[in-house]
Amino acid sequence: QVQLVESGGGLVQAGGSLRLSCAPSGRTFYAMGWFRQAPGKEREFVAAISWSAGMTDYGDSVKGRFTISRDNAKNTVYLQMNSLKPEDTAVYYCAADSTYSTVFAGTCDYWGQGTQVTVSS
């Protein structure tokens, strides 16, 4: 069975950085990405990336601060989060699918369990 194993979440001060990792087990995925959801808020698109990283997209709220990347030899996708703000506090979910459009839209078939990111001010 496919699992998306996430790591790297935690507590960080505003202005700091964290790097999230997501390592699928069982198969590879053409497209992967990250979403987040804060309490009382709708799920929000964060970033997506294609197999060779030829396509990337970022949500407006994180563009310029977050960078998505992947290491296919390790079958791992990363989310480097810099200049973190308290409003970045959320549960971050890894997402994966065989098409870029479904990951971008959040209609993909595979999701991680979520990892908590808390940014203090």
Side-chain angles (χ1 to χ4, degrees), residues 9-89:
L11 175 65
V12 67
Q13 294 185 85
S17 298
L18 284 174
R19 189 177 74 160
L20 306 183
S21 299
C22 177
S25 63
R27 58 164 288 182
T28 60
F29 292 95
Y30 174 74
M32 298 186 68
W34 294 91
F35 289 75
R36 68 187 185 185
Q37 188 166 26
K41 302 292 185 180
E42 295 184 16
R43 188 180 65 191
E44 179 184 19
F45 172 75
V46 175
I49 189 168
S50 61
W51 176 258
S52 61
M55 292 183 288
T56 59
D57 286 281
Y58 297 92
D60 288 341
S61 63
V62 307
K63 190 173 184 179
R65 299 188 297 120
F66 291 10
T67 302
I68 190 169
S69 62
R70 65 192 300 170
D71 183 343
N72 291 336
K74 297 180 179 179
N75 197 25
T76 301
V77 66
Y78 304 97
L79 183 68
Q80 179 67 45
M81 305 184 294
N82 297 328
S83 301
L84 282 162
K85 305 174 181 179
E87 51 262 47
D88 295 318
T89 296

